Amino acid sequence: MRAGDEPDLVRVSLAADTVFADAGVELPPDDPRPLLAHADRVLVADGTDGRPCGLAATVVVDGHPHLEQIAVDPGHGRRGIGSALLSAVRAEAAALGHRRITLTTFRDLPWNGPWYTARGFAPLPRAEWGPELARLWEAEADIRVLPRIVMAREPA
């Protein structure tokens, strides 16, 4: 994330949220600024106009990278931007010697759980959660409007 990217990344995140509303999923209002401020890393994908059109935000949870959010502006969707962002997150995690990446997501929405499954993520049993991941899960209670799942995979 570069200085000055925040307004565009807020726009991207809010635009990406519209796909949930379009699918009939009612989520609480979201302000992505706190996420952008507390993320350990925010990777940015630029569109052909040079403005951000996608982001991947990670934090460290229980000593592992945790993917807080991948968001792609729907006007730039279905072009591999989300996959490229995920690949970049995985490459960084592998380069730093991490053994796994975790995330939480909606289990059944095609662009959530099934999308991550197709990219090598698998459900992470609760017995394998660390204390920080368990707290994060509880903190997300307000967005569990549909079944959610914790997933993990090795970075490489």
Side-chain angles (χ1 to χ4, degrees), residues 40-41 57-68 89-103 121 133 151-153 155:
D40 293 308
R41 281 289 278 155
T58 60
V59 296
V60 175
V61 174
D62 297 316
H64 304 284
H66 178 84
L67 184 59
E68 281 275 309
V89 167
R90 290 178 49 216
E92 280 195 354
L96 293 171
H98 291 288
R99 293 188 331 264
R100 86 174 170 197
I101 299 170
T102 59
L103 59 88
F121 282 82
L133 186 54
M151 301 182 85
R153 72 157 288 160

